[in-house]
Amino acid sequence: MRLVDTVQISFKTVLSYRIRSFLIVLAMALGVAAVVALTALGDGARNYVINQFSSIGTNLLVVLPGRAETSGAFLGAVLGQTPRDLTLKDAQLIGRLPQVRRYAPLNVGEAELSAANRLRTVTVLGSNAHLIPIRHMVLAQGSFLAHGTESNAQIVLGAKIAREFFPRTQAIGQRVRLGDSRFLVSGVLMSQGETMGYDTDEIVIVPINHAQVMFNTTSLFRILIEAKNHSEIESAKQAILATVKQSHDEEEDITVITQDAILSTFDRILQALTLAVAGIAAISLIVAGILVMNVMLVAVSQRTTEIGLLKAIGASSADVRRLFFAEAVLLSLAGAILGFSLGQFGSLMLRLTFPQLPAWPPAWASMAGITVALITGILASMLPASKAAKLDAVNALGKK
Amino acid sequence: MIRLTAITRTFHMGDQAVYALNNINLQIASGEYISIMGPSGSGKSTLLNILGLLDKPDRGRYELDEKLVTDLSEIEQAQIRRERIGFVFQSFHLVPRLTAAENIELPLTLSGMPSEQRQIRVEQALQAFELKERAQHRPAELSGGQRQRVAIARATIMQPSVILADEPTGNLDHQIGAEVMTLLEDLHHRGTTLIVVTHDRELGARAHRQIGMRDGKILTDQANATG
Ligand SMILES: Nc1ncnc2c1ncn2[C@@H]1O[C@H](COP(=O)(O)OP(=O)(O)O)[C@@H](O)[C@H]1O
Ligand SMILES: [Mg+2]
């Protein structure tokens, strides 16, 4: 028997058992659609987080005081040491390293901002002029500590704060009071919304020395560093550790986090999450496979006389097996294609509903969904098909 | 040319053995017209099934055209059923999903013949069995006589040398049954070996050789001079 004829006959059979075929195709389709749509969701979430993380800077390293490793902290505690402060001097030493393009020391605190008869508490970042480019913030207007004005008492306002305090007037050039000091508004940040839990629209930025006076501290909260290029991140990290160790009396008491490492960690975690979700969805495909097997077994017993007849007019066992096999493959194929379309549609709906979520189903997931559907369909049809093939012609014909 | 030697077929019902065929010896020349008669349960269908390679004897030899078929492989047996033997059943056994034309086409499809050639053969068969108007109807839309004509067209489409008919008129009224017998006899006139199991004495008497069975044995085997 020719392959085209086998497929054609099976196709007619599939069409003539409409409800049964529809249910199998639906079960398969839902499984595949679940794989496609859920991985789109997972991968979308992954890309969302990665984009957020990438948007806070490029080739970024962050230095924080204290050792993050438990062993080190434990040892330090046992020896009665407390981590040394991170100082502006450390920051300057780091800034001289050849791998470092620029750096921004950082202090963070809260203070009362008052101007134009308004008063509110704001988050204050104390830093230098490099903070803005390193953190990928953009000035909508003005400047911050531009060349020649490094020692001025300048302040940059977040977009929302500028709007709140100076709704009608130009913010730049206005005098404001922050804590006990006076500042001159030199710039306004462009509205960027929230990234990584920081709403840059509601912060103010002042020079680091003013911030340290205001918060009465000489130790830094963080040092942000931008490496010259991607390939130098790791060597920058080692150089920073070595430099600070040397200036801290050979104590390695800082932690250097690279954006790269965090990114790849998040990437791994979310990738694993997506895989897990895909795996769970794939289980529904196995369930669909079991359904296919049952329905095909029922089909074999329903069509027993027909199988007997086929054998009587000269079908070999192999012909009969192939007919049932083709039927299951057709059903699975239809289910896979329908499911793929449904999954794509679901992903589109996700993207329309949550525009900030890039919910595109990854190609591997679509391929895997379709492949698993086909394989389960084929595996599930093996038992029924061979049962049909083994039927004894006389007994089969005798049944009614 | 068919030769059965000491064919025995037993069925086991619980611990009791039923001899459906008990030591059958039978020789049938090519082109013969034979009727097989006997009471229900005498082994007629079992004999036909063994002749048609649908069933295997427990013991004995079956030679078809000087070839021992008993120990052919499953695939070779399927090929013989497809090419040399045509089966006609009491209950027609048409595939309900397929049209009359498609049912007739089925053996050709199984043989792997290309579609264009199949269409020509099916067209001829529809013509010969006066089924042209019914070609696109499904079995459920056909009368009993029409269904049996479709079944006979299907049994003969491969131009087999032997036609085996197991009570082909059993589900038809007398007149339609007689018409169906005439169709089968036409095939015999064109040289096909025709073996018909029937309950109807009158129809059985039309065969040139009548075999009477009882309890799995051949009781009578007589040539009919008038046939
Ligand atoms: N599949 C079977 N299982 C058990 N017994 C069977 C089977 N087929 C036939 N028989 C028995 O074999 C005997 C002959 O049956 P069969 O050839 O069908 O007779 P007939 O066609 O002459 O009515 C009967 O006793 C019947 O019960
Ligand atoms: Mg019978």
Side-chain angles (χ1 to χ4, degrees):
Chain A
M1 195 167 175
R2 297 166 156 236
L3 182 63
V4 268
D5 294 322
T6 306
V7 173
Q8 210 164 35
I9 290 179
S10 304
F11 189 65
K12 273 181 197 148
T13 312
V14 165
L15 284 187
S16 62
Y17 291 97
R18 276 205 194 98
I19 295 177
R20 189 205 72 169
S21 300
F22 173 74
L23 288 177
I24 294 189
V25 168
L26 191 67
M28 276 284 175
L30 289 180
V32 176
V35 171
V36 173
L38 288 176
T39 50
L41 188 66
D43 215 47
R46 184 177 70 94
N47 281 322
Y48 175 75
V49 170
I50 302 242
N51 288 344
Q52 291 272 302
F53 237 106
S54 309
S55 75
I56 64 165
T58 311
N59 304 334
L60 201 61
L61 295 100
V62 180
V63 179
L64 34 152
R67 289 285 304 261
E69 287 96 324
T70 28
S71 60
F74 176 71
L75 211 69
V78 168
L79 298 175
Q81 296 164 338
T82 47
R84 231 163 286 245
D85 288 345
L86 204 55
T87 62
L88 270 172
K89 186 182 146 243
D90 295 326
Q92 280 153 9
L93 285 174
I94 289 169
R96 282 188 211 125
L97 291 169
Q99 298 92 336
V100 171
R101 168 175 294 165
R102 49 194 175 189
Y103 71 96
L106 189 63
N107 274 105
V108 179
E110 289 198 329
E112 300 256 284
L113 178 68
S114 66
N117 295 326
R118 267 166 234 270
L119 183 75
R120 68 164 281 190
T121 306
V122 294
T123 303
V124 180
L125 305 190
S127 189
N128 61 14
H130 294 314
L131 176 71
I132 291 172
I134 287 178
R135 269 288 276 102
H136 282 191
M137 292 188 279
V138 183
L139 284 169
Q141 299 165 2
S143 61
F144 181 54
L145 301 179
H147 195 68
T149 63
E150 285 90 344
S151 55
N152 293 9
Q154 294 184 343
I155 186 167
V156 169
L157 303 183
K160 196 174 164 204
I161 290 174
R163 267 200 313 279
E164 262 178 33
F165 278 78
F166 307 105
R168 268 173 277 281
T169 49
Q170 171 72 267
I172 292 185
Q174 301 282 349
R175 296 198 169 276
V176 298
R177 176 180 284 277
L178 184 66
D180 296 328
S181 324
R182 297 184 154 276
F183 289 89
L184 181 72
V185 178
S186 70
V188 175
L189 287 173
M190 193 183 275
S191 177
Q192 278 179 307
E194 200 165 324
T195 47
M196 304 300 304
Y198 247 116
D199 191 350
T200 54
D201 294 354
E202 297 198 58
I203 56 163
V204 301
I205 306 172
V206 296
I208 184 82
N209 46 346
H210 288 87
Q212 291 201 335
V213 171
M214 193 182 307
F215 301 131
N216 189 26
T217 178
T218 53
S219 76
L220 294 173
F221 173 61
R222 300 272 187 274
I223 304 171
L224 306 184
I225 294 133
E226 187 178 314
K228 280 224 171 81
N229 52 54
H230 190 259
S231 61
E232 283 183 274
I233 293 176
E234 196 48 44
S235 103
K237 179 178 175 176
Q238 296 313 324
I240 290 165
L241 283 171
T243 306
V244 177
K245 186 176 177 182
Q246 200 179 25
S247 93
H248 284 195
D249 302 330
E250 297 302 316
E251 278 305 328
E252 197 168 287
D253 56 3
I254 58 161
T255 302
V256 180
I257 299 170
T258 68
Q259 181 187 18
D260 225 36
I262 298 178
L263 253 163
S264 62
T265 306
F266 265 102
D267 194 39
R268 270 204 309 280
I269 293 171
L270 289 164
Q271 184 93 51
L273 210 69
T274 306
L275 266 175
V277 167
I280 292 166
I283 290 174
S284 67
L285 275 174
I286 308 290
V287 175
I290 293 170
L291 182 75
V292 171
M293 179 155 86
N294 275 297
V295 172
M296 291 307 291
L297 281 172
V298 171
V300 171
S301 52
Q302 270 176 350
R303 277 186 255 154
T304 302
T305 34
E306 191 182 312
I307 295 163
L309 176 270
L310 283 174
K311 289 200 163 174
I313 62 174
S316 63
S317 296
D319 289 330
V320 173
R321 183 181 304 116
R322 274 190 287 245
L323 278 171
F324 277 88
F325 194 62
E327 204 174 317
V329 170
L330 283 176
L331 289 169
S332 309
L333 198 65
I337 291 169
L338 179 68
F340 177 72
S341 315
L342 278 178
Q344 290 287 354
F345 180 73
S347 313
L348 175 69
M349 282 303 162
L350 274 174
R351 294 196 298 274
L352 291 178
T353 319
F354 308 103
Q356 64 275 47
L357 193 70
W360 295 94
W364 63 263
S366 301
M367 299 287 272
I370 290 171
T371 314
V372 171
L374 288 182
I375 290 175
T376 36
I378 287 165
L379 287 180
S381 68
M382 288 204 164
L383 177 68
S386 78
K387 205 180 152 200
K390 279 202 208 99
L391 275 180
D392 182 58
V394 186
N395 286 337
L397 276 171
K399 287 230 176 80
K400 199 68 220 119
Chain B
M1 165 72 182
I2 291 169
R3 182 187 288 131
L4 298 183
T5 316
I7 291 285
T8 298
R9 177 73 170 104
T10 34
F11 291 104
H12 296 276
M13 306 295 281
D15 50 349
Q16 206 177 344
V18 180
Y19 284 86
L21 293 178
N22 194 350
N23 198 28
I24 296 278
N25 294 294
L26 183 64
Q27 194 162 329
I28 300 168
S30 281
E32 274 196 87
Y33 175 12
I34 297 176
S35 68
I36 302 175
M37 289 187 284
S40 186
S42 57
K44 308 182 294 292
S45 296
T46 306
L47 177 59
L48 222 58
N49 289 337
I50 284 177
L51 287 174
L53 298 180
L54 290 181
D55 199 3
K56 279 192 171 73
D58 305 310
R59 263 176 284 132
R61 290 162 63 86
Y62 173 11
E63 288 157 275
L64 179 64
D65 296 336
E66 308 297 326
K67 204 160 155 199
L68 194 64
V69 284
T70 350
D71 40 46
L72 288 180
S73 74
E74 194 266 336
I75 290 176
E76 289 166 319
Q77 293 200 0
Q79 190 182 358
I80 291 180
R81 287 199 297 269
R82 194 159 62 228
E83 293 171 359
R84 313 260 284 274
I85 295 165
F87 244 109
V88 179
F89 305 93
Q90 176 176 1
S91 48
F92 323 129
H93 285 315
L94 301 178
V95 179
R97 295 185 299 287
L98 302 181
T99 62
E102 288 166 343
N103 266 289
I104 296 171
E105 188 183 353
L106 212 44
L108 301 177
T109 311
L110 286 171
S111 78
M113 182 185 280
S115 178
E116 313 81 61
Q117 288 177 38
R118 299 202 304 253
Q119 298 319 314
I120 297 168
R121 293 273 281 272
V122 169
E123 204 55 38
Q124 286 168 350
L126 287 167
Q127 191 90 49
F129 291 93
E130 293 169 29
L131 287 162
K132 271 199 94 90
E133 282 84 61
R134 302 269 129 191
Q136 297 312 315
H137 290 248
R138 280 171 214 280
E141 301 156 0
L142 301 175
S143 72
Q146 288 166 341
R147 285 186 213 176
Q148 197 59 300
R149 289 217 300 276
V150 172
I152 294 171
R154 181 180 64 192
T156 55
I157 193 86
M158 292 289 289
Q159 297 166 340
S161 53
V162 182
I163 297 278
L164 304 171
D166 194 349
E167 304 194 34
T169 63
N171 279 353
L172 303 173
D173 65 37
H174 190 76
Q175 203 214 315
I176 304 287
E179 283 172 26
V180 163
M181 282 310 291
T182 310
L183 278 178
L184 290 172
E185 283 163 2
D186 283 347
L187 297 170
H188 157 66
H189 290 315
R190 273 180 254 134
T192 313
T193 309
L194 178 61
I195 304 172
V196 182
V197 168
T198 181
H199 269 314
D200 190 322
R201 291 191 169 283
E202 200 182 312
L203 291 178
R206 288 158 69 154
H208 306 162
R209 180 177 167 192
Q210 293 162 29
I211 291 173
M213 290 187 70
R214 173 168 294 185
D215 298 332
K217 288 194 172 121
I218 293 178
L219 276 192
T220 58
D221 184 349
Q222 57 196 47
N224 187 349
T226 62

